Amino acid sequence: MNDTISIQEALVYVMVIMSAADSSMTDSELSTMGEVAKTLPVFADYDPANVLPAAQRCGERLQAENGLAEVLDLIADTLPVHLFDTGYALAVEVAAADLGVSKEELRILQLLRDRFNLDKLTTAAIERGAIARFKKA
């Protein structure tokens, strides 16, 4: 497989591993992924129609032996350091999309925090923002 992906594809991979963490990609998670690719400035030059093919490529990579570790390495090698918090924020958005975070999703968040070397204050702020956005009336 090709070991070079775009920054945007790396961000799609982040969202895919979060969505797939609990072995079920919900409609709300998929909707969040599509909406993110349509609206965030980091995806300005990215065709949202590429999200599904990128997600499929990520899924194929995940099926390989040591797939998760290799995908995490690829993401970290592709993203510039200044987008590590953006990647983490997208993971949190996907995790929060179905209004519940599983232990498997928490584990992926921990792996991303460690891989991106994000500090506790940054991750707490990102997580708190998601909690506020996804509250029900």
Side-chain angles (χ1 to χ4, degrees):
M1 280 189 216
N2 185 356
D3 287 327
T4 304
I5 59 173
S6 69
I7 289 169
Q8 291 81 8
E9 187 157 338
L11 292 170
V12 170
Y13 281 26
V14 167
M15 294 187 288
V16 169
I17 63 173
M18 180 53 62
S19 181
D22 58 3
S23 300
S24 67
M25 297 177 85
T26 66
D27 289 343
S28 56
E29 290 171 337
L30 294 171
S31 175
T32 296
M33 291 169 59
E35 196 60 32
V36 161
K38 290 178 191 170
T39 60
L40 290 187
V42 74
F43 287 99
D45 297 327
Y46 188 75
D47 183 349
N50 290 330
V51 171
L52 182 57
Q56 290 169 333
R57 286 189 294 275
C58 181
E60 290 170 7
R61 289 177 185 264
L62 289 170
Q63 297 301 317
E65 187 174 338
N66 299 318
L68 178 59
E70 290 178 12
V71 167
L72 287 169
D73 287 342
L74 182 58
I75 291 166
D77 291 345
T78 302
L79 290 179
V81 173
H82 76 275
L83 290 179
F84 283 176
D85 57 350
T86 301
Y88 187 78
L90 295 181
V92 169
E93 285 294 307
V94 171
D98 53 7
L99 306 177
V101 181
S102 70
K103 65 181 178 199
E104 295 87 1
E105 289 171 326
L106 290 172
R107 179 66 182 134
I108 295 294
L109 289 174
Q110 180 64 51
L111 291 171
L112 289 171
R113 281 193 298 269
D114 293 346
R115 189 65 53 116
F116 294 160
N117 197 29
L118 295 173
D119 64 88
K120 291 182 187 220
L121 187 58
T122 298
T123 59
I126 290 168
E127 292 162 5
R128 186 64 188 112
I131 290 168
R133 281 189 304 285
F134 285 94
K135 279 186 180 175
K136 289 186 173 185

